[in-house]
Amino acid sequence: MFINHAHSLCGVWALAFPPPSKIKFFTIVRGKAFLRVEGSEKVVSLQAGDVVLLSAPKSFVLGTDLTRQPLDALEVFPIGAPTVVQIGEGDDFFLMGGHVDLDAVSGRILLDSLPSLIRLQAGGREAEKLQWLIGQLVEEFRGHEAGSGFACSGLAQLMFLQILRGYLSRSENSGAGWLRAISDLRIARALALIHDDPAREWHLPDLAKAAGMSRTAFATRFREIAGVTPLAYVTQWRMHLAERALRDGEKTIAMIAQSVGYASEAAFSNAFKRVMGASPTRFRTYQRQELTETRKGEPVGRDYVPLLA
């Protein structure tokens, strides 16, 4: 995660930001503003100490008055502009923002697990740790001391983790799932092994040992937190990787099968169809058809829905 810009503004203003290509992150250090995200009529009121995470590629408007015609943020903050940008002569509003770099594969699952907008309010219980991190981040950002860039990146990563924890701590978000699983230290160790070597023939004792737990305790906790058994998760992860590879279209089905741990193309095809609802060949044909018809501007009819899409 990287903090790559800070904005100091004053007066009445509104800025229109294009859809972010990565997870967008910002915190209000000083002042108040309003936020409206594309596709929603809801206006979110923000104040100092609030932290916002935008995970969907949707444009948004941020400002003190959203009824006025917003300025194009790309013109106000052009690519290559200074890290700190000031608008106007005052300093009644200060914002720090950045983006989250995610792995191309596991990042897709994280994006699918997150709502389009997460807001942690300054006065909320989950924001207490964030306040300290924000203070340290501002100090490092403004200090320009040796290693400040590295320190900012590390603090921002901690903030991202705290945002996820804050989101998960809410009662309505406490169900089992992938996001909760990666937030559990012991289960996350086992997930890391699976992600690093998906083709390996994983067994329950190997994963339980990585988590520092007995087989029974690990299997019970994994299912409780992730919503599936450990070995079922291994299969789901392999199918997710296979889906990505089929979408990319560069490898043969036999090559994909081998890369995700299947000794034969037939065994892989059977597993893929069972999990994804279509054979690898049909899935790849569908993806190519969808891409072609989308480029032509024609509607595309679906006859199945990929479970991990």
Side-chain angles (χ1 to χ4, degrees):
M1 189 170 188
F2 300 95
I3 294 294
N4 56 10
H5 61 84
H7 310 320
S8 179
L9 305 100
C10 67
V12 180
W13 55 274
L15 296 171
F17 292 82
S21 58
K22 303 175 182 178
I23 293 182
K24 181 72 176 178
F25 156 94
F26 61 85
T27 178
I28 310 299
V29 179
R30 180 170 54 255
K32 297 180 180 180
F34 298 98
L35 170 70
R36 184 174 62 241
V37 179
E38 173 191 356
S40 174
E41 295 300 321
K42 181 179 179 181
V43 174
V44 181
S45 178
L46 303 174
Q47 61 180 338
D50 284 359
V51 179
V52 174
L53 202 70
L54 299 170
S55 64
K58 297 181 178 180
S59 61
F60 61 96
V61 179
L62 181 70
T64 55
D65 183 2
L66 301 190
T67 63
R68 66 184 294 158
Q69 182 66 30
L71 298 175
D72 186 342
L74 291 183
E75 294 182 2
V76 178
F77 314 120
I79 297 175
T83 304
V84 180
V85 177
Q86 180 162 347
I87 300 177
E89 297 181 356
D91 192 25
D92 51 4
F93 181 86
F94 188 69
L95 170 148
M96 296 184 69
H99 64 265
V100 182
D101 280 326
L102 296 173
D103 175 79
V105 177
S106 58
R108 169 69 181 277
I109 298 182
L110 176 57
L111 287 174
D112 290 345
S113 304
L114 292 173
S116 59
L117 184 150
I118 295 177
R119 175 204 178 195
L120 297 185
Q121 294 179 268
R125 182 180 60 181
E126 64 268 17
E128 292 180 3
K129 292 182 180 179
L130 278 172
Q131 299 311 306
W132 183 86
L133 290 170
I134 291 171
Q136 294 298 305
L137 190 60
V138 172
E139 184 176 334
E140 288 289 344
F141 194 83
R142 288 175 164 172
H144 300 294
E145 297 181 8
S148 61
F150 180 78
C152 285
S153 180
L155 287 166
Q157 290 178 28
L158 290 174
M159 289 186 69
F160 181 51
L161 176 60
Q162 190 61 34
I163 291 169
L164 295 183
R165 286 175 173 171
Y167 168 70
L168 288 171
S169 70
R170 300 170 185 171
S171 59
E172 68 269 21
N173 304 320
S174 59
W178 186 82
L179 187 56
R180 187 180 174 203
I182 65 169
S183 301
D184 183 282
L185 182 59
R186 287 179 290 182
I187 300 302
R189 292 173 186 160
L191 293 182
L193 289 181
I194 297 169
H195 295 171
D196 289 342
D197 192 3
R200 178 175 168 178
E201 187 177 354
W202 289 106
H203 298 287
L204 189 60
D206 302 323
L207 299 172
K209 182 179 180 181
M213 303 171 70
S214 70
R215 284 179 292 178
T216 301
F218 172 72
T220 301
R221 184 170 182 82
F222 193 102
R223 181 158 194 160
E224 175 187 319
I225 290 182
V228 295
T229 66
L231 298 185
Y233 180 84
V234 171
T235 299
Q236 290 185 359
W237 180 250
R238 288 172 170 174
M239 295 306 106
H240 179 74
L241 296 177
E243 177 196 354
R244 298 287 294 180
L246 289 166
R247 288 180 187 273
D248 293 341
E250 296 180 358
K251 295 181 179 180
T252 66
I253 293 176
M255 292 168 63
I256 295 172
Q258 185 177 13
S259 71
V260 294
Y262 288 86
S264 70
E265 185 176 331
F268 165 67
S269 295
N270 289 335
F272 190 89
K273 185 174 183 178
R274 183 177 68 254
V275 175
M276 305 302 292
S279 68
T281 300
R282 187 180 178 197
F283 180 88
R284 172 168 278 174
T285 300
Y286 167 80
Q287 292 300 321
R288 289 173 176 170
Q289 176 189 2
E290 183 180 50
L291 179 61
T292 300
E293 293 184 357
T294 299
R295 286 174 175 171
K296 292 178 180 178
E298 299 173 0
V300 179
R302 289 182 178 269
D303 54 359
Y304 75 95
V305 178
L307 299 180
L308 295 178

